[in-house]
Amino acid sequence: MSSRRDFMGMALGGFTALGGIAALYAMKRSWDPLPSVAAAGFTTVDLSVAKENVLNVQKWRGKPIFILKKTSDMQADDRDVVVGRARYHVSIGLCTHLGCIPAYLPAEKLFRCACHGGEFDTSGRETFGPPPSPLVIPPFKIDGNKIVLGEEGPEYLKMKEAGLTA
Amino acid sequence: MAHFDENAKPFSNRWLDDRLAINTVKKVLSTEYWIPKNINFLWAMGMVLAATFGLLVVSGIFLLMYYKPDINMAFDSVNYTIMTEVGYGWLWRHIHGVAASLVFLIIYIHMLTGIYYSSYKRGREMIWLSGMLLFIAFSAEAFSGYMLPWGQMSYWAGMVITNLFEAGSLELTGLVEWIRGDYVPGDAFLLRFFTLHVLLIPLVIMGLIVFHFATLRIPHVNNQDGEDIDFDEAARLYKEGNKKESKVIPFNPVFLSKDVFVLGIYFILFFYLVFYHFDFAMDPVNFDPADGLKTPPHIYPEWYFLWSYEILRPFPKDPGLIAFGIAQIAFFLLPWIDRSPNVAPAHKRGLFFWWFWILVLDMIALTVLGKLPPEGIYNTLGTISAIIFLLLGPALILITKLEKKL
């Protein structure tokens, strides 16, 4: 009786598929970042010691973070982090093309990526080469003279809503 | 039940044949597996590849005994323990490095031979496709292996290549972080690529090699004249003793002995490189330990990936990725974009001959430009070479449609 055999086939196939999907889900989850990695700490940086036109590189979740105190002749930008009267450029220091770390050239006042020649100005906006978007601004919170990376403060949320962070 | 000879001595030929049909297997796979006579040394490349893969497995097993897949220990386990402490550790590493590089040289020769002699079509499509799958598997094996010494080039190549999965403007950051198991390449990343490199991908490669051999058995290998040989007739002549008149030889021992000769020549070159010029396969930048906060001034892949890397580089992000994607699958399509009915060497196929050599020269140009820094005239030349590569596909359709039947 073929309908009975069909039923057996479908039942077996169905349960096998279910098990297969469950196994795939387990495999997917095994490759997810571990909780300890995902919860990787917050980095706090004291901005009061920063010098103008000197790039400070910090590490946050394994990525380099650029902190550049702007000089008065550098153009102000809505992407700047303003603390008191000083303006800072804060971004994840990975080229938005393929993730190399651009170098800061203080004399020319720009970032240049050695991999494929992309350039960014002191607001992190792309000015030359293959990068498709500005340097990404990490989540931050201003705490007095300090900046906490990884926490979403009101200034960050404002920038994010205006679509300025990426 | 089949008839078993009760008097056969255990493990004698008769005894084994009753149980395993070894005589039939031997005939099918070796003594009556017919190979055309009109072939040249390029037909030995398959066996050269199999032997090189064997060396990779053996040297890999010994490296595995001292390698430590941990971001704090990997670099020293390779550069200190294996290279200076382990007896002949340097030998395994240099064999592994040189073989990993040469295996791609031979793969490219093997592929270009197939293209030159039209060995990918008219019944031989599955040989070509299984070969292309092997190429992909070897590429994955090479990339995952390159991560293991955890030097600067390992780290940054890992960063750049995994970033490709962001797929440009699709910004699939989550996918990239899932592949890495971290925000940046770290311990999870190193361990999973280690697992793929030493277990999963080698298993896939071994399976594919068996499959690649199997795809060859029925259509048989092509020959250098593209001649459509009647294998039954040729085999009959050979078995009757008319070996001179027959157009074929058996795989074993006749063809295999020729293979072994070519292998001998190849191993002279191979071990010359292992002992005297291993440095060509060892990038000096990778002798600096990985540092996530310092990009090397110039990131480039190993030479065998340069041509496809150079197709990615000259374009803006999204078109670059699309071009790169096309380059990766283009060769899979070869049996179908070649519209000509001819199975013949390129020098008998008119414009196809020129197409073939333009392809070779363009791939060499892309390889050279991929290594040079992305500045000035190199950018322009890179863009031109990449565009030529992309145009070669449609050009082939046109050329082969116009080709006259031989």
Side-chain angles (χ1 to χ4, degrees):
Chain A
M1 212 166 83
S2 85
S3 65
R4 188 169 157 155
R5 184 163 283 180
D6 287 350
F7 172 77
M8 295 296 279
M10 282 189 283
L12 181 64
F15 277 103
T16 312
L18 219 60
I21 290 166
L24 280 177
Y25 177 72
M27 289 175 196
K28 189 265 170 197
R29 289 280 290 109
S30 295
W31 265 35
D32 278 346
L34 302 177
S36 58
V37 170
F42 303 94
T43 304
T44 306
V45 184
D46 187 357
L47 293 177
S48 60
V49 294
K51 291 197 187 79
E52 286 184 353
N53 202 25
V54 175
L55 184 71
N56 175 4
V57 182
Q58 295 288 330
K59 197 170 172 179
W60 169 72
R61 293 187 185 174
K63 290 175 188 164
I65 300 293
F66 287 165
I67 301 175
L68 178 70
K69 188 173 184 182
K70 288 191 159 185
T71 59
S72 51
D73 63 326
M74 288 177 191
Q75 199 171 353
D77 194 287
D78 288 342
R79 287 161 50 88
D80 292 345
V81 176
V82 184
V83 179
R85 296 176 63 191
R87 303 183 81 87
Y88 298 87
H89 166 65
V90 177
S91 63
I92 297 177
L94 297 174
C95 180
T96 48
H97 180 221
L98 284 174
C100 302
I101 303 178
Y104 184 62
L105 309 173
E108 296 168 53
K109 293 185 177 154
L110 56 83
F111 295 94
R112 182 178 292 147
C113 180
C115 290
H116 307 105
E119 289 177 9
F120 301 88
D121 64 16
T122 53
S123 302
R125 292 190 187 276
E126 75 281 14
T127 52
F128 177 78
S133 52
L135 292 172
V136 177
I137 295 178
F140 68 87
K141 201 183 112 183
I142 296 167
D143 183 12
N145 269 334
K146 291 179 184 139
I147 186 167
V148 183
L149 299 167
E151 243 183 283
E152 300 193 345
E155 293 85 356
Y156 174 77
L157 290 172
K158 218 173 107 193
M159 265 188 212
K160 195 176 171 186
E161 264 167 45
L164 294 169
T165 53
Chain B
M1 190 146 134
H3 176 72
F4 284 83
D5 183 352
E6 300 292 340
N7 302 320
K9 270 198 190 134
F11 306 106
S12 65
N13 188 297
R14 179 67 201 266
W15 190 87
L16 286 171
D17 195 44
D18 279 347
R19 286 155 182 79
L20 300 172
I22 55 162
N23 291 338
T24 312
V25 172
K26 216 192 277 175
K27 268 189 192 170
V28 170
L29 295 184
S30 122
T31 55
E32 291 186 20
Y33 171 25
W34 304 104
I35 307 290
K37 275 181 183 170
N38 50 340
I39 56 175
N40 57 42
F41 77 98
L42 290 166
W43 268 256
M45 293 304 140
M47 213 40 85
V48 170
L49 282 171
T52 311
F53 180 67
L55 279 169
L56 282 164
V57 172
V58 172
S59 56
I61 287 171
F62 283 94
L63 292 171
L64 191 48
M65 292 174 189
Y66 288 96
Y67 175 76
K68 296 195 175 79
D70 176 299
I71 54 167
N72 296 313
M73 295 191 275
F75 186 83
D76 284 342
S77 75
V78 174
N79 289 300
Y80 179 70
T81 310
I82 290 173
M83 288 305 287
T84 66
E85 287 198 303
V86 178
Y88 289 90
W90 56 269
L91 177 67
W92 306 124
R93 191 188 185 195
H94 290 166
I95 287 178
H96 210 69
V98 168
S101 204
L102 283 192
V103 94
F104 278 93
L105 177 69
I106 310 293
I107 285 175
Y108 287 136
I109 293 174
H110 195 56
M111 281 172 71
L112 288 169
T113 304
I115 297 175
Y116 190 91
Y117 292 101
S118 334
S119 307
Y120 47 84
K121 55 181 190 168
R122 307 230 117 197
R124 297 199 176 88
E125 291 88 349
M126 289 305 290
I127 307 175
W128 181 258
L129 290 183
S130 58
M132 280 306 298
L133 289 175
L134 269 169
F135 176 67
I136 301 290
F138 268 101
S139 301
E141 182 70 354
F143 172 72
S144 56
Y146 201 64
M147 298 298 104
L148 304 187
W150 209 241
Q152 271 290 65
M153 228 22 141
S154 304
Y155 183 91
W156 287 100
M159 178 77 102
V160 171
I161 298 296
T162 46
N163 270 341
L164 291 179
F165 288 90
E166 211 168 56
S169 301
L170 296 180
E171 301 200 345
L172 305 176
T173 320
L175 176 65
V176 174
E177 285 170 5
W178 180 75
I179 291 170
R180 291 178 187 156
D182 202 336
Y183 304 105
V184 288
D187 231 11
F189 173 86
L190 180 58
L191 262 166
R192 66 188 52 170
F193 277 86
F194 169 74
T195 311
L196 295 178
H197 183 75
V198 305
L199 180 68
L200 187 61
I201 305 173
L203 283 180
V204 170
I205 287 178
M206 288 174 198
L208 283 172
I209 289 175
V210 171
F211 181 53
H212 193 52
F213 283 161
T215 58
L216 210 53
R217 184 61 185 83
I218 289 169
H220 288 90
V221 290
N222 195 8
N223 53 74
Q224 63 177 356
D225 305 309
E227 189 184 346
D228 192 4
I229 293 171
D230 181 345
F231 280 89
D232 293 331
E233 169 63 14
R236 190 182 57 79
L237 278 172
Y238 191 93
K239 283 197 277 188
E240 281 170 359
N242 297 320
K243 297 187 182 179
K244 219 170 201 174
E245 290 74 30
S246 175
K247 287 179 173 171
V248 296
I249 48 172
F251 175 77
N252 185 31
V254 186
F255 175 67
L256 212 50
S257 62
K258 292 168 189 278
D259 260 354
V260 169
F261 175 77
V262 178
L263 271 178
I265 305 272
Y266 168 74
F267 279 134
I268 293 173
L269 168 74
F270 182 89
F271 283 104
Y272 167 73
L273 291 173
V274 166
F275 291 119
Y276 300 104
H277 274 291
F278 52 84
D279 50 324
F280 89 95
M282 306 262 161
D283 195 291
V285 179
N286 220 25
F287 285 90
D288 289 330
D291 182 352
L293 294 185
K294 203 178 108 209
T295 320
H298 182 199
I299 298 180
Y300 43 81
E302 286 291 279
W303 71 266
Y304 39 82
F305 292 143
L306 285 171
W307 68 271
S308 62
Y309 181 66
E310 186 57 23
I311 288 170
L312 169 79
R313 214 163 59 157
F315 301 109
K317 196 167 177 172
D318 285 346
L321 278 168
I322 293 166
F324 183 69
I326 291 172
Q328 300 309 306
I329 58 156
F331 284 105
F332 274 98
L333 304 175
L334 199 57
W336 291 279
I337 57 177
D338 181 341
R339 314 294 298 172
S340 141
N342 298 326
V343 173
H347 58 261
K348 287 187 189 160
R349 290 183 58 189
L351 282 174
F352 180 80
F353 178 76
W354 297 101
W355 180 89
F356 174 83
W357 286 110
I358 292 170
L359 172 72
V360 174
L361 291 176
D362 193 52
M363 287 181 78
I364 293 172
L366 286 166
T367 301
V368 172
L369 290 162
K371 186 87 183 192
L372 294 168
E375 314 164 332
I377 183 79
Y378 302 142
N379 266 338
T380 321
L381 290 174
T383 313
I384 294 169
S385 308
I387 289 170
I388 290 177
F389 184 87
L390 294 173
L391 289 178
L392 278 170
L396 182 66
I397 299 177
L398 208 70
I399 285 171
T400 49
K401 267 200 167 164
L402 295 172
E403 198 177 312
K404 287 194 190 78
K405 187 155 171 48
L406 290 172

